[in-house]
Amino acid sequence: MERPFRTLILLAGVLLFYSAGTNSDYYVVGDKAEDFSLRNVDGRMVSLADYPDARGFIVVFTCNHCPYAQLYEQRIIDLHRRFNIRGFPVIAINPNDPSIVPDDSFDEMVVRAREKRYPFVYLYDSTQTVYPKFGANRTPHVFILDQRLVVRYIGAIDDNPETPGAVRNRYVENAVNALLRGERPDPDFTRAIGCTIKRKR
Amino acid sequence: MRNLYLISTLFFLATCMLRGQAFTVYDSFSELEDRIREVDHNTTLVINFWATWCGPCVEELPCFEELHRNYASADFQVLLVSLDFKSRLEQKFIPFLEKHQLKPEVVLLADQDADNWIPKIHPDWQGALPATVVLRGGQRALFPEKFEHYEDLEAFVLNFVKSVRKATNMGCKGTR
């Protein structure tokens, strides 16, 4: 009597917890990322293989329109200025479909990158095939890769989107510094509020 | 007496009354936890995480209004938890509430340390907005995206309630 009852409870539990996806669908920390080729705001196609001297990459899925992406824009610029010279450039990718958010079209990306003088590449995932492989689900969403393109950190830039001065944990900065020291980032996974990625319908 | 004055002043500051539209600011997630804990075992609590700046969130708000209209009672509550910025309260949030006159309870959660509180809402939620969590009898279910139609929301909530009830009934039989 007890066993079928427990099985039922377990089944109900499994059914209740709607899962966002299974781990095998996209990268988790420790997985090797596939290189990609995406158009940059300057018109040329960019791959990670174009950076033979890089010691790793700060891949940031971000966009023009999202208020959280805007709050972090200056911090993303600062990350690139700080870490590009140490071998960790920022690779920004806009994953949104412009038919849903016109502000995130390629043309608008070009305008934004020029206005804000982005020092990093700002790539367009026009076919929306790169962000699902990473498992990006919001903007901004960061993936730090090492030299061998192994994913070493997934998550937020820091722990205070609204007030940069009140930040206590600079997750990305700490993670890159750890990698530069040859250590494992801790934490290597964080959550954050952000805008959903706008999928083509 | 002085304490009472202080408490009432704080309360007044925290709960802003706007022509029938009240909302509460929670600076710490623990306040939302307390609010969730208030709810008894036989009550269904539907929490929608949204923000005025989030397009899909604003689009699905009418679904939650309709759910509230159709089901709100002592044992069915709809709670709209906004993640609007406290610094833009006057410019954005209050005017939005004045314009839309939302009927369900509205809370502004200003706790910035999202990595700390997001997993306490649901282990599978990573923080993209909108997201909806339904709680009842110690169980919870997550829908981590926008509901396209009212019927989808209603079915999600009712199916969850049904499954929790079924599990609870089994528990009664099992202990007999």
Side-chain angles (χ1 to χ4, degrees), chain A residues 106-122:
Chain A
F106 184 76
D107 289 346
E108 292 297 329
M109 286 171 63
V110 173
V111 171
R112 184 103 193 169
R114 194 177 297 145
E115 268 175 10
K116 304 284 174 175
R117 298 168 187 270
Y118 284 180
F120 44 78
V121 293
Y122 188 23

Side-chain angles (χ1 to χ4, degrees), chain A residues 14-27:
Chain A
V14 169
L15 286 172
L16 287 180
F17 286 81
Y18 178 97
S19 168
T22 55
N23 285 347
S24 56
D25 294 346
Y26 45 77
Y27 306 148

Side-chain angles (χ1 to χ4, degrees), chain A residues 16 68 138 162 191 194 196, chain B residues 53 87 112 115 126 129 163:
Chain A
L16 287 180
Y68 269 86
R138 61 180 184 270
E162 198 175 359
R191 300 159 186 85
T196 45
Chain B
W53 48 256
S87 56
Q112 294 288 304
D115 183 51
Q126 286 198 42
L129 293 184
S163 60

Side-chain angles (χ1 to χ4, degrees), chain B residues 69-85:
Chain B
R69 218 169 22 247
N70 293 343
Y71 291 95
S73 67
D75 58 7
F76 192 103
Q77 303 173 6
V78 177
L79 179 63
L80 303 176
V81 177
S82 160
L83 291 151
D84 271 75
F85 306 114

Side-chain angles (χ1 to χ4, degrees), chain A residues 90-110:
Chain A
V90 163
I91 308 288
I93 303 175
N94 167 25
N96 286 337
D97 187 86
S99 67
I100 298 166
V101 195
D103 278 356
D104 289 338
S105 70
F106 184 76
D107 289 346
E108 292 297 329
M109 286 171 63
V110 173

Side-chain angles (χ1 to χ4, degrees), chain B:
Chain B
M1 198 59 204
R2 228 182 118 189
N3 274 345
L4 197 71
Y5 175 70
L6 192 73
I7 287 166
S8 56
T9 311
L10 283 174
F11 188 78
F12 176 72
L13 284 174
T15 313
C16 309
M17 301 297 294
L18 315 150
R19 284 183 274 138
Q21 174 77 64
F23 71 95
T24 314
V25 176
Y26 290 164
D27 281 313
S28 162
F29 177 69
S30 63
E31 293 169 88
L32 180 60
E33 268 184 321
D34 291 343
R35 171 68 184 81
I36 292 171
R37 236 176 263 134
E38 267 173 28
V39 173
D40 73 59
H41 231 64
N42 296 316
T43 297
T44 303
L45 177 63
V46 180
I47 307 180
N48 175 241
F49 292 90
W50 68 291
T52 60
W53 48 256
C54 160
C57 303
V58 173
E59 281 166 28
E60 73 167 354
L61 271 183
C63 297
F64 288 90
E65 293 248 66
E66 195 171 343
L67 189 76
H68 179 81
R69 218 169 22 247
N70 293 343
Y71 291 95
S73 67
D75 58 7
F76 192 103
Q77 303 173 6
V78 177
L79 179 63
L80 303 176
V81 177
S82 160
L83 291 151
D84 271 75
F85 306 114
K86 224 173 129 187
S87 56
R88 297 178 203 169
L89 203 70
E90 299 294 336
Q91 305 101 292
K92 278 219 79 172
F93 192 62
I94 294 177
F96 183 92
L97 292 188
E98 281 182 343
K99 185 177 168 206
H100 293 271
Q101 294 288 317
L102 304 171
K103 295 293 178 296
E105 181 184 346
V106 177
V107 156
L108 188 145
L109 177 61
D111 192 328
Q112 294 288 304
D113 191 4
D115 183 51
N116 172 52
W117 63 259
I118 287 172
K120 293 178 187 166
I121 290 297
H122 198 285
D124 292 334
W125 185 33
Q126 286 198 42
L129 293 184
T132 299
V133 177
V134 192
L135 302 97
R136 187 188 164 104
Q139 308 264 32
R140 51 186 72 192
L142 169 75
F143 192 79
E145 49 195 298
K146 175 192 166 190
F147 287 102
E148 291 296 336
H149 307 285
Y150 170 74
E151 291 71 26
D152 301 336
L153 167 63
E154 189 183 46
F156 181 74
V157 173
L158 295 185
N159 285 339
F160 168 74
V161 172
K162 210 194 280 173
S163 60
V164 173
R165 278 207 183 122
K166 229 182 245 169
T168 318
N169 289 341
M170 287 297 295
C172 289
K173 264 183 206 159
T175 52
R176 230 176 253 167

